[in-house]
Amino acid sequence: MNTPPDLAHAPDHGFIDGIRASSRQMVRELGFLHGTLAATDYPPSAVHALMEIGARQSMTASDVTAFLGLEKSSVSRMLRKLVDAGELEEAARPADARIKDLSLTRKGRKSRAAIEAYGRHQVSSALANLQPAEQEAVRTGLALYSAALARRRQAPVPATPDAAPAVDVVAGYRPGVLGRIAEMHAVFYARHAGFGAVFESRVAAGLAEFAGRLPSGRNQVWTAVQAGRIVGSVAIDGEDLGDGRAHLRWFIVGDGVRGGGVGRALLRQAVDFCDRGGFSETHLWTFRGLDAARHLYERHGFVLATETPGAQWGTPVLEQSFVRRAVAAG
């Protein structure tokens, strides 16, 4: 899947320890060692939850757990306290009452605004001590370092001798790829959303049209292959949207390998391709309720842009669009 870093070119211990020392100092200066954060009465995890739920308008408890990388029971207790404090409200989904969306109340929005103001003042007052070029170096360096830390956390676990056969991510066309991607989509979405022939035919037609444009350097498809069988896919269409925007399409992972890092590996290939290609934005379209996929999108920098009712696939759903802005080059 992901290629491990080349440790032969890793910095020496002195270089690494310097970064670690700076990281510890940042933690102290930003107040993360205190019981509360950002001039609130809440611990850091609760402050982060308020910020991220507000940024996305709504999240489930599972969304928050995955995004923060914390233990599920701890997040559940923390979210319950925020609900009891009037910062968050819960709403059961009409299609499945077991799933509850969390959103900020009026009080929560005021708390988030105060946290934003505190954080902006904290950063701006620190940056005031630096020249413009140094400020840009801080912004770029932090973005690159935080992204590298996230990639390390999201890297799939290597297969062991007793594990299932390894899954490799392969770029480009291979015989049977179009039919297999269409089949995986048809079977999954029939089961999870009630889609039928309209959906399958549109997927197949889109794949057939895209295949003719694959030789272009602006387009690519990746498949996850296990023991010779395709078990996942994703594609970047760099031509259909125009204006320097990329379109992420046909992302799917099979049941047998879902949750094992295959989706992360596929999306990493796709977003890296977009960054190398200089696309200003990457767009994708999906619908509400596919929480596992949404976790992955958001981990890779996608943000919910719109949500509207629609029935273009033959069944009424809340259609969503997500956008990922280009990552600044270092």
Side-chain angles (χ1 to χ4, degrees), residues 60-82:
T60 66
S62 296
D63 291 336
V64 177
T65 300
F67 192 89
L68 297 185
L70 298 176
E71 198 270 328
K72 182 178 180 180
S73 62
S74 298
V75 172
S76 295
R77 290 193 295 270
M78 176 265 290
L79 293 175
R80 176 48 52 192
K81 290 179 180 178
L82 290 175

Side-chain angles (χ1 to χ4, degrees), residues 135-176:
Q135 295 174 1
E136 179 60 27
V138 169
R139 186 187 69 84
T140 303
L142 283 174
L144 291 171
Y145 185 45
S146 61
L149 288 171
R151 290 188 194 183
R152 177 184 179 277
R153 178 165 65 91
Q154 296 162 10
V157 178
T160 63
D162 296 328
V167 179
D168 297 313
V169 173
V170 181
Y173 172 83
R174 56 191 292 119

Side-chain angles (χ1 to χ4, degrees), residues 22-51:
S22 296
S23 297
R24 293 194 301 273
Q25 183 175 1
M26 284 183 62
V27 168
R28 295 193 299 270
E29 298 296 338
L30 292 173
F32 282 95
L33 296 182
H34 300 163
T36 61
L37 185 67
T40 71
D41 294 328
Y42 300 124
S45 59
V47 171
H48 277 263
L50 290 173
M51 294 299 297

Side-chain angles (χ1 to χ4, degrees), residues 155-330:
V157 178
T160 63
D162 296 328
V167 179
D168 297 313
V169 173
V170 181
Y173 172 83
R174 56 191 292 119
V177 66
L178 304 181
R180 176 60 177 153
I181 293 175
E183 175 195 5
M184 292 182 69
H185 278 74
V187 172
F188 178 86
Y189 287 101
R191 185 169 70 240
H192 289 273
F195 292 173
V198 172
F199 174 75
E200 184 173 358
S201 62
R202 292 191 63 175
V203 170
L207 283 164
E209 188 277 332
F210 176 72
R213 298 187 283 109
L214 256 180
S216 166
R218 304 294 280 172
N219 306 320
Q220 187 57 281
V221 62
W222 296 264
T223 48
V225 182
Q226 183 182 54
R229 179 173 174 79
I230 294 173
V231 294
S233 69
V234 71
I236 291 295
D237 189 333
E239 297 177 328
D240 66 334
L241 298 182
D243 298 326
R245 298 173 299 164
H247 183 184
L248 189 144
R249 310 179 73 178
W250 303 301
F251 174 58
I252 194 165
V253 177
D255 292 340
V257 295
R258 193 174 297 121
V262 174
R264 291 194 298 271
L266 286 165
L267 282 181
R268 176 48 51 194
Q269 292 285 344
V271 298
D272 283 352
F273 178 85
C274 293
D275 291 341
R276 292 194 306 270
F279 293 101
S280 60
E281 296 177 347
T282 304
H283 294 244
L284 67 87
W285 282 264
T286 181
F287 59 91
R288 190 170 181 177
L290 303 176
D291 293 337
R294 179 171 177 169
H295 296 332
L296 290 175
Y297 297 146
E298 292 177 337
R299 285 185 179 185
H300 288 81
F302 287 90
V303 176
L304 179 65
T306 63
E307 185 174 67
T308 56
Q312 64 169 314
W313 305 113
T315 299
V317 293
L318 278 175
E319 297 177 356
Q320 297 175 322
S321 69
F322 286 78
V323 179
R324 177 183 184 267
R325 311 296 180 188
V327 174

